[in-house]
Amino acid sequence: MTGITADLNFKGILRRITVLFIFLLNCEVTVVSTGMGAITKAFPDAGPILINLVYTFPILIMVFMNFFVVPPLAKRYDKKSLVMVALVLYIIGGVGGVFATGSIFQIIGMRAFVGLGAGIAAPLCGAIINELYDGRDKQNMLGWANGVDSLMAIILVMIAGYLCAIKWNYLFWVYSYFFIVLLMVAYALPSLPPPKAAESSEKKKVKLSYNGKQKFKLFLVCLYEVTFTIFLVVMMMKLSIFIEIDAKMGDAIISSRAISITTAGILVGSLLFGFADKVFRRYTMIVSTLCVASGTYIMFGGHAITPVFIGCFIVGLGAGLNLPTVQSRALAIGIKADGTFANAMIIGIMNGGQFLATFVEKGVALFVEPTARNLLGSVSVAMLAITVITLIYLIADPLKGVNANPETVAK
C-alpha cells in the first residue's frame, strides 16, 4: 500500500489525471487513420503496402516493445523516467511527421519513433496504476484509463481531421498535445523505482519471477485476450463493408457514425468497469464476451441501420469492459511491484491479435462464403464459444490460490 490512494489534494488529483493520460494505445491506433486518404494522395507513386505501413508499422514495433523490451527495462529503471522517455519519443515521431514530407519512407521512419514511444508507455500505464492504487480504486483507475484514452482519441481525431483538411501533413501537429502530458508527468507522477526482492524473516530473497502455475495462468489470460481481440477486430474491419456493400444501408457517413457509436460504447463500458466488476465480480469477463456476441448477432440479423447502431453500442460496451477486466486479472497474478511484465504481455497480445485478425476470413471461407454479414455471424458464434469455455473455467477454477497478489476484488 503506497498511501497515495487516499491522496485527494490538488497534486493527488492531478496525479490521477496524469496516469490516465499515458495509456496512448487507443489514440495511436485511431488518430493517423484520419489522414490515410490524404497521405495516399500525397504519395501517388507509393504502393499500397508502403501506405499501409504508415498505419501498421507502429503497431509492429509496439508488439516487439511490449514483449521483449518493456519488462526488462522496468526491472532496471524508474517507471517515471521510462514514461518520460516514451513521451519524448512519441512527440518526436508524431510532430516529426509534419516535416517528413520528402518521401513515404520519411513518414514511416517518424512512425517508428511513435511505435517506440507508445510501445513503452501503454503497458507502463497499467503497471503504474497497479503500484499506486489498491482494491476498488485500482479497478476504477484501470477502467478510466481505457475510457479516457478512448475519449481523448475521439477529440484528437476530430482535431486531426480539421488540420488535415488544411494540409495533409498538418495532421501530425495533433501530437504536440502530448507535450502537455509530458509536463504533467514531470510534475505530478512520483518516482517509481524498479522492484527489489525483499528479505523474508529467514533472510532469504523473495523471488520476483513467476512460478510455473502463475505463468500458466497468465498464459490462459493472454490466450483469452488474443482470441477476443482477433474476433473483435474482424468485426471492426468488416463493419463499413457490411453497411455500405453487403446490406446497402448507407455510405461512408453512416459507417463513420456506426464506428463512433461503437467507440462511445467502449467509453461507457470502460467508465462503468468499476461498478460492473463490483456487481459481477469474477464473471465480468463473461459479461464482456456476451455483449460482443449479442451485439454482433443483432448486426448479423439486422436489415435496417437502427439495429446495427444498437448492436455497435452493445459491442462497444463489451469491448470497454474487456481490457480493464483482463488487466486486473493479469496484474493480480504477479507481485504488485512487478506488474509491468503481466501488463506488457496483455498489451502485446492485443496488438498481435490485430494482425492475426487478417487471416480469419480465410478460415471462415472453409465453411461459408466470407461475406461481411457472414463474418459478423462468425464473430458472434466465436464470442459465444469463448463465453462458454470461460464460464467452465471460472466454475472449475483449476488455478485457484496461485496468485501472488490476493484478488480481494475478484478472482
Side-chain angles (χ1 to χ4, degrees):
M1 176 75 72
T2 62
I4 294 177
T5 297
D7 187 1
L8 296 178
N9 57 24
F10 172 76
K11 192 167 184 178
I13 294 173
L14 182 60
R15 178 184 294 117
R16 289 173 181 268
I17 297 172
T18 301
V19 172
L20 297 178
F21 279 177
I22 61 177
F23 186 44
L24 300 184
L25 188 62
N26 293 332
C27 280
E28 187 39 48
V29 299
T30 306
V31 169
V32 77
S33 62
T34 307
M36 290 301 291
I39 292 172
T40 302
K41 294 177 182 178
F43 299 100
D45 296 330
I49 293 178
L50 288 176
I51 295 296
N52 288 340
L53 280 176
V54 174
Y55 183 91
T56 61
F57 195 48
I59 301 175
L60 282 171
I61 293 178
M62 288 169 68
V63 172
F64 177 79
M65 298 297 291
N66 297 157
F67 283 135
F68 303 110
V69 178
V70 176
L73 282 179
K75 289 187 176 182
R76 294 187 178 186
Y77 301 102
D78 188 292
K79 292 183 182 66
K80 176 178 179 177
S81 299
L82 290 176
V83 170
M84 293 186 68
V85 170
L87 286 169
V88 169
L89 291 172
Y90 194 71
I91 294 168
I92 290 173
V95 178
V98 177
F99 309 100
T101 59
S103 71
I104 191 67
F105 294 102
Q106 291 180 5
I107 295 290
I108 294 172
M110 288 297 101
R111 299 292 292 158
F113 283 97
V114 168
L116 290 172
I120 296 172
L124 285 177
C125 179
I128 290 171
I129 291 173
N130 185 58
E131 194 163 335
L132 294 184
Y133 305 96
D134 293 293
R136 185 62 55 195
D137 210 12
K138 180 172 74 174
Q139 306 300 96
N140 287 331
M141 286 292 288
L142 287 171
W144 294 345
N146 194 41
V148 168
D149 193 52
S150 297
L151 178 61
M152 193 161 58
I154 294 171
I155 296 172
L156 293 182
V157 163
M158 293 174 60
I159 297 173
Y162 285 112
L163 291 172
C164 191
I166 298 172
K167 192 175 181 180
W168 72 267
N169 57 314
Y170 285 7
L171 155 75
F172 297 104
W173 278 120
V174 77
Y175 286 93
S176 61
Y177 160 79
F178 291 95
F179 183 72
I180 299 174
V181 179
L182 176 63
L183 295 178
M184 293 171 66
V185 169
Y187 173 74
L189 194 67
S191 176
L192 296 166
K196 295 181 180 179
E199 292 190 6
S200 67
S201 58
E202 299 178 357
K203 304 297 182 181
K204 294 180 180 179
K205 294 289 185 181
V206 177
K207 292 183 178 180
L208 293 176
S209 60
Y210 290 67
N211 61 37
K213 288 185 176 180
Q214 289 170 343
K215 288 179 180 178
F216 183 60
K217 187 171 185 178
L218 181 60
F219 166 77
L220 292 178
V221 175
C222 289
L223 181 62
Y224 166 90
E225 182 60 13
V226 72
T227 310
F228 183 98
T229 302
I230 287 171
F231 288 101
L232 179 66
V233 172
V234 169
M235 171 262 164
M236 295 299 293
M237 288 193 303
K238 297 301 177 180
L239 180 57
S240 62
I241 297 175
F242 170 69
I243 292 173
E244 297 174 37
I245 299 176
D246 277 23
K248 295 181 172 59
M249 296 180 185
D251 55 13
I253 295 176
I254 300 298
S255 295
S256 65
R257 289 176 184 172
I259 294 171
S260 296
I261 290 171
T262 306
T263 306
I266 293 174
L267 173 62
V268 173
S270 299
L271 296 179
L272 291 178
F273 166 69
F275 171 77
D277 206 48
K278 184 178 181 180
V279 174
F280 299 107
R281 298 178 68 81
R282 62 189 303 185
Y283 296 102
T284 308
M285 298 176 81
I286 301 298
V287 176
S288 174
T289 50
L290 274 178
C291 281
V292 179
S294 59
T296 49
Y297 180 76
I298 292 171
M299 295 160 64
F300 167 72
H303 295 279
I305 198 61
T306 299
V308 172
F309 283 169
I310 293 172
C312 285
F313 186 76
I314 296 173
V315 168
L317 285 176
L321 290 173
N322 170 257
L323 179 57
T325 301
V326 172
Q327 282 182 306
S328 64
R329 278 31 172 193
L331 289 169
I333 297 172
I335 67 168
K336 187 178 181 69
D338 192 30
T340 305
F341 175 76
N343 202 56
M345 294 301 102
I346 294 299
I347 300 300
I349 210 73
M350 284 180 60
N351 289 325
Q354 294 185 63
F355 289 98
L356 293 176
T358 306
F359 305 101
V360 170
E361 188 169 347
K362 291 185 177 180
V364 172
L366 298 175
F367 304 96
V368 295
E369 184 181 357
T371 63
R373 186 182 292 274
N374 285 340
L375 284 167
L376 290 178
S378 301
V379 171
S380 182
V381 171
M383 286 295 179
L384 186 60
I386 295 171
T387 301
V388 172
I389 294 171
T390 304
L391 180 61
I392 293 172
Y393 172 85
L394 291 175
I395 294 173
D397 203 3
L399 295 174
K400 182 178 181 180
V402 307
N403 289 2
N405 287 343
E407 293 180 71
T408 56
V409 176
K411 290 184 178 182

